[in-house]
Amino acid sequence: LDDEKVLKIESEISKLPNNKTIEFRNCYGMKSKNIRLLNGLVNLFDSMKLNTAVKGVCARECALLFMLGTNKTLLKPDAGKATIVVLHPLLSDDNEFLVDESKRIFGLIAKRSGGKIPVSFFDQLFEVGDDIGGIAIYRESSSPETNAFYSSGRKSKPAPMPGFVLDKLDIKKE
């Protein structure tokens, strides 16, 4: 997402209050680290109680917006592809963690889940070693115990986060 697309999304959503579902398709976050624009979208998603859906990959700021959905759905991917939500902490232009801003959004996500997702679920995100590290939530998992996997970065093999199946993460599968 670039600043222009963010402003367009914000404008379209506010014009169509009956539009209840936002679908993210292969969305890799914002090109700029414009926290003001992101916070505007966060507040809009939170206040309008929008449903969210993902098809393909949804990462960074887009993943945080997806997680703010009232009803979150991972859609069936195109053949040979996967549907994955990849959570990362917010970063400054200098690639420093924006801890307060990240924790505010994590708190809103936890609240929106009705207690299903504890704020502690996000704690490992501040331990990543590079811009690739994060928590990946897969629509289809190789483990019956979890759909969430943590990686500290490029050289780290993703580790399962036991107990975080889609239902526990307040996410549906379609």
Side-chain angles (χ1 to χ4, degrees), residues 156-170:
S156 166
K157 182 179 177 187
M161 298 175 70
F164 286 104
V165 294
L166 293 180
D167 184 57
K168 169 75 173 161
L169 294 167
D170 197 32

Side-chain angles (χ1 to χ4, degrees), residues 44-153:
L44 190 65
F45 274 59
D46 190 47
S47 67
M48 292 190 71
K49 311 283 188 268
L50 296 169
N51 299 321
T52 54
V54 167
K55 183 173 184 172
V57 177
C58 180
R60 304 206 170 276
E61 295 85 358
C62 295
L64 296 176
L65 292 171
F66 165 76
M67 293 298 290
L68 278 170
T70 299
N71 295 297
K72 297 170 280 299
T73 305
L74 297 180
L75 303 172
K76 185 176 180 180
D78 293 332
K81 305 283 183 177
T83 292
I84 308 166
V85 173
V86 187
L87 300 167
H88 302 274
L90 296 173
L91 297 173
S92 71
D93 290 332
D94 299 325
N95 287 325
E96 297 293 325
F97 293 135
L98 296 172
V99 176
D100 292 339
E101 293 89 342
S102 296
K103 284 186 174 184
R104 181 181 88 81
I105 295 171
F106 299 159
L108 289 172
I109 293 167
K111 181 179 174 186
R112 176 58 52 84
S113 77
K116 282 188 168 186
I117 305 172
V119 174
S120 61
F121 174 76
F122 302 100
D123 288 348
Q124 286 181 295
L125 291 175
F126 296 112
E127 297 170 15
V128 297
D130 59 37
D131 60 339
I132 299 299
I135 296 173
I137 302 169
Y138 292 84
R139 182 180 184 275
E140 302 298 335
S141 174
S142 58
S143 169
E145 296 179 8
T146 190
N147 289 78
F149 295 80
Y150 170 77
S151 171
S152 63

